[in-house]
Amino acid sequence: MMDRREFLKRSSIASAGLVLGAPSALAQGGSKNGKINVALVGMGKQGRVLFEAMSNIPGLHFQAVCDIWDYNRKGGFGKVRALQGHEPNLYIDIEEMLEKEKDLDVAIIATPDFWHSPHTVQCLDAGLNVYCEKMMSNTIDGARDMVHAMERSGKLCQIGHQRRSNPRYTYTLDHLINHNKICGQIVNVNGQWNRAVSSSQDIQVNPKLSIDPERLKKYGFDNMHQFMNWRFYRDLSGGPISDLGAHQLDVFNWFLGCQPKSVYASGGNDFFTEREHFDNVMAIFEYDAPQGPVRAFYQVLTTTSSGGGFYESFMGTEGTVKISEMSSASAIYRENSAPSWEDLVKDGYLNKKPAPAPPPSSDGVASYESAAPEIFALPGELTKMPHQPHLENFFATVRGEETLNCDARHAFESEAPIFWVNPSALQKQRIVFEPSQLSV
Amino acid sequence: MATEDTTSKDSLGHIFASLLLRLWLGVRALQTGIEKYAGSVSSSEPVKVAGEAYDDDLVETVSSKAYSMDNYSGIPASLKSTFAGEPLLPAWGLKIFDVVLGPALILLGLTILLGIASRVSLFALGLIYVGLTFGLILIKQDAGVAWLGIHVIMIAMALAWSEHNRFSILKKW
């Protein structure tokens, strides 16, 4: 019989799906050596983040490292050797790797966005299960190809929206928003990723470490600057709205349980005038959510860090849940007219924070203000690296023990509206979605 | 006789006053010394809602107060670095004070409470407070100086009323 804890975990996994189908959940089994043989495809910054998170997961055997840059490849080689005590096989080309490595079980793909789809499709068609970083692709058709390849191959394809496996997020959705409905009717969603200009500068590289121009060209890069800064180029990435915004817009859609019906966006090269992608983007989405209409605002800035960093805020008639991967940026506010939450605090659903200081005086302006809401906090912290639970879910599914929290189909349903933000900003027009624009 | 009654009542009042001062100063010194061995012990456990754990990865840290020899710090760490820059306070003097302060407060607290050489104990405690006052003057903690001044006045009162001191184990000194 399923206990309450198991039920809640499963309900969270079920709610990871938006509107279509069930997550692919196939018992895939392990390898002959009892371990899951892993290929690391792309060992740049994000590849290293994933490797660090995987280094805490037992039962993995890092068999191959593939990267076109010698610097990354050697770095990956050293990290695997230091962790496992053996030397992984090294490859520049993924096709060569798939041809020679016959007993791989899994590929972890952390290449530039425009390579996500080709690499994922190649690996799935070769019989590997794939964990691929978000955004699925720089084009919506590339993302569609990934869904088709997953379903054609019958293999697993998890997309790296790691918040879907973060217990702080699943707890918030399961217990606070769905079960206890602490927000009342959610009418607004507000999210942002404000990144400092100092963190948004061009990445420079020592010329001695440069990749041979012929190799760069073969893999789609005009030069080393483009290789290091692929996020700035339209043919190689979706820009900040997909690079940073994808994580948070995924949470919008996941929590609301539906796709938006329209988007209106504004963007510009306000500071980084030479870049192809907008440096600042603001987007308004409209939803017909199951619980009622919702308007959502999202901004991504690459010029300013103030304003609270990055978070997603679900604002309702009775309360607001502001959640972030950073627990310090998370808070829950109760509207003064809402029913008391004392029982929720008593049962451990919430922690109450000290009451905010009263306004200094009752002047003419203060008389128009609403009373300050009570502030509460989520109980508990995630004690692992942010990506680790999502990777653990992937490997547990490979072993047949769980189902994926964010397979390619569900990730596509959530990501599809994001592909239309830049077009809306470029055309300066509201886009009302047709079903064909958001479906596989 | 009315005169004899008044004398008797005054005497009892003085005895109680002396005893209360001794108790207050003894408890103040003893517990302050013990608190220098206080620290916190943290333990993590899965968040429980309605009595059941939600997820092993969602963990709440619970801190509780604990005493141990390892926690000992005579002078708070935040003040040590401040004192270190004071030319009138030699490093060796600071170190001795740091090591001795906690045990000395505990010892004097006990002797004052039990009435063992009360006058010498009170005087020694007063000297410690004078030493602390010197340090606080150096770092311009005027509120702390005033606070210690009140303690010293109370010690002076206890000494002045020492002739009314009763319930002592060792009356000498």
Side-chain angles (χ1 to χ4, degrees):
Chain A
M1 186 166 167
M2 194 188 307
D3 63 18
R4 176 185 168 82
R5 187 179 176 190
E6 184 63 18
F7 168 77
L8 286 168
K9 287 194 82 168
R10 290 192 187 183
S11 66
S12 172
I13 290 163
S15 62
L18 284 168
V19 288
L20 300 171
S24 54
L26 302 171
Q28 303 289 315
S31 289
K32 290 172 189 170
N33 60 8
K35 293 194 170 184
I36 295 173
N37 293 325
V38 179
L40 303 169
V41 182
M43 275 302 280
K45 188 176 177 183
Q46 192 59 23
R48 292 194 292 274
V49 168
L50 296 181
F51 179 77
E52 293 299 326
M54 283 185 286
S55 66
N56 298 316
I57 301 174
L60 307 183
H61 175 255
F62 297 101
Q63 184 168 314
V65 173
C66 180
D67 198 296
I68 69 165
W69 194 17
D70 296 352
Y71 179 81
N72 281 348
R73 207 168 51 254
K74 288 175 184 171
F77 177 86
K79 283 182 178 296
V80 170
R81 187 172 59 180
L83 179 71
Q84 299 191 149
H86 78 87
E87 298 176 352
N89 300 322
L90 301 181
Y91 297 93
I92 295 170
D93 191 88
I94 193 171
E95 287 184 22
E96 184 190 357
M97 182 189 79
L98 293 174
E99 195 178 306
K100 289 186 176 173
E101 301 288 338
K102 293 302 179 192
D103 54 351
L104 285 172
D105 300 303
V106 158
I108 305 295
I109 295 173
T111 49
D113 284 5
F114 76 110
W115 275 114
H116 283 176
S117 179
H119 287 162
T120 297
V121 171
Q122 280 176 289
C123 290
L124 288 168
D125 285 344
L128 274 63
N129 300 297
V130 172
Y131 181 105
C132 181
E133 260 304 321
K134 65 83 212 155
M135 178 92 172
M136 292 176 77
S137 173
N138 62 320
T139 67
I140 194 166
D141 285 335
R144 287 186 173 113
D145 290 344
M146 294 166 77
V147 180
H148 291 146
M150 177 185 73
E151 294 176 346
R152 179 173 68 237
S153 67
K155 292 292 172 182
L156 300 172
C157 181
Q158 172 108 304
I159 304 301
H161 292 290
Q162 74 271 4
R163 287 165 176 77
R164 297 223 185 195
S165 299
N166 184 325
R168 293 179 67 250
Y169 278 77
T170 57
Y171 177 87
T172 298
L173 182 61
D174 287 340
H175 277 300
L176 303 183
I177 293 180
N178 286 344
H179 182 66
N180 286 302
K181 302 192 184 307
I182 64 165
C183 292
Q185 183 186 340
I186 295 172
V187 288
N188 299 101
V189 182
N190 187 16
Q192 66 174 47
W193 194 314
N194 293 357
R195 177 176 274 184
V197 70
S198 58
S199 302
S200 310
Q201 299 296 318
D202 289 23
I203 302 169
Q204 307 296 333
V205 66
N206 184 338
K208 290 178 184 171
L209 298 174
S210 290
I211 301 172
D212 174 64
E214 285 300 312
R215 191 190 296 173
L216 277 175
K217 196 172 178 184
K218 179 182 175 184
Y219 292 102
F221 302 98
D222 290 341
N223 50 51
M224 202 59 194
H225 179 269
Q226 200 183 54
F227 173 74
M228 298 298 295
N229 298 282
W230 53 269
R231 295 169 198 275
F232 305 158
Y233 295 89
R234 286 205 177 133
D235 289 342
L236 315 186
S237 100
I241 192 67
S242 87
D243 196 29
L244 300 174
H247 281 302
Q248 299 172 289
L249 294 171
D250 173 57
V251 175
F252 284 18
N253 301 334
W254 172 32
F255 276 27
L256 292 175
C258 63
Q259 295 171 304
K261 63 179 185 180
S262 69
V263 63
Y264 181 69
S266 170
N269 297 93
D270 303 328
F271 182 79
F272 294 108
T273 54
E274 302 301 315
R275 290 186 185 169
E276 292 184 4
H277 274 302
F278 301 135
D279 50 23
N280 293 330
V281 181
M282 296 178 176
I284 297 169
F285 297 90
E286 293 174 319
Y287 292 81
D288 278 335
Q291 51 113 59
V294 178
R295 270 162 241 287
F297 173 75
Y298 181 78
Q299 71 176 26
V300 57
L301 313 181
T302 58
T303 52
T304 309
S305 65
S306 65
F310 54 94
Y311 62 80
E312 305 90 47
S313 191
F314 293 81
M315 308 166 78
T317 52
E318 295 181 3
T320 290
V321 172
K322 182 185 173 198
I323 187 165
S324 169
E325 271 191 331
M326 298 184 300
S327 58
S328 60
S330 303
I332 300 166
Y333 304 92
R334 189 184 76 85
E335 291 292 311
N336 283 287
S337 57
S340 169
W341 291 354
E342 291 304 318
D343 285 346
L344 297 177
V345 173
K346 200 171 130 192
D347 289 341
Y349 287 103
L350 294 168
N351 290 337
K352 192 169 184 179
K353 285 191 166 183
S361 64
S362 55
D363 54 26
V365 175
S367 65
Y368 290 98
E369 289 185 353
S370 304
E374 285 183 302
I375 306 175
F376 297 78
L378 278 174
E381 302 281 343
L382 174 64
T383 54
K384 296 176 175 174
M385 297 173 75
H387 297 80
Q388 190 174 332
H390 205 45
L391 286 156
E392 287 174 339
N393 167 251
F394 171 65
F395 288 114
T397 308
V398 170
R399 292 192 184 93
E401 298 164 357
E402 293 184 15
T403 54
L404 292 181
N405 287 348
C406 188
D407 72 9
R409 176 168 281 276
H410 292 87
F412 178 88
E413 290 167 358
S414 189
E415 287 189 7
I418 303 169
F419 288 106
W420 301 100
V421 174
N422 283 336
S424 171
L426 283 166
Q427 296 160 18
K428 301 186 188 302
Q429 283 187 349
R430 177 171 175 255
I431 295 175
V432 179
F433 297 125
E434 298 290 333
S436 62
Q437 290 176 296
L438 301 183
S439 61
V440 178
Chain B
M1 298 289 287
T3 310
E4 282 177 11
D5 287 342
T6 305
T7 307
S8 175
K9 281 179 186 170
D10 284 349
S11 179
L12 191 61
H14 281 111
I15 290 168
F16 284 161
S18 173
L19 185 62
L20 276 175
L21 268 177
R22 217 181 83 197
L23 286 175
W24 194 94
L25 289 164
V27 167
R28 176 73 169 113
L30 176 64
Q31 198 55 42
T32 304
I34 291 172
E35 288 305 308
K36 296 197 177 291
Y37 295 88
S40 63
V41 176
S42 297
S43 60
S44 297
E45 53 188 46
V47 167
K48 286 183 180 173
V49 282
E52 292 185 40
Y54 174 72
D55 187 306
D56 291 341
D57 292 338
L58 189 63
V59 170
E60 201 156 23
T61 302
V62 181
S63 291
S64 58
K65 193 174 178 181
Y67 296 90
S68 83
M69 299 298 283
D70 292 338
N71 292 334
Y72 178 74
S73 178
I75 297 170
S78 56
L79 289 181
K80 273 183 192 168
S81 55
T82 311
F83 283 131
E86 288 297 332
L88 294 180
L89 192 60
W92 56 266
L94 187 66
K95 192 169 182 181
I96 289 174
F97 218 83
D98 185 42
V99 172
V100 167
L101 186 59
L105 287 170
I106 292 171
L107 180 67
L108 293 172
L110 282 172
T111 55
I112 291 168
L113 276 175
L114 296 173
I116 300 171
S118 298
R119 285 169 294 181
V120 172
S121 297
L122 285 166
F123 182 65
L125 184 62
L127 290 180
I128 288 176
Y129 288 149
V130 170
L132 291 171
T133 302
F134 173 71
L136 292 186
I137 291 170
L138 289 179
I139 59 173
K140 296 181 174 54
Q141 294 287 319
D142 293 338
V145 170
W147 185 239
L148 285 167
I150 293 170
H151 284 60
V152 171
I153 290 169
M154 292 175 78
I155 289 173
M157 288 170 68
L159 284 169
W161 287 341
S162 61
E163 63 187 284
H164 304 290
N165 190 18
R166 301 289 188 274
F167 314 110
S168 299
I169 292 176
L170 179 61
K171 277 203 159 190
K172 201 175 178 184
W173 304 306

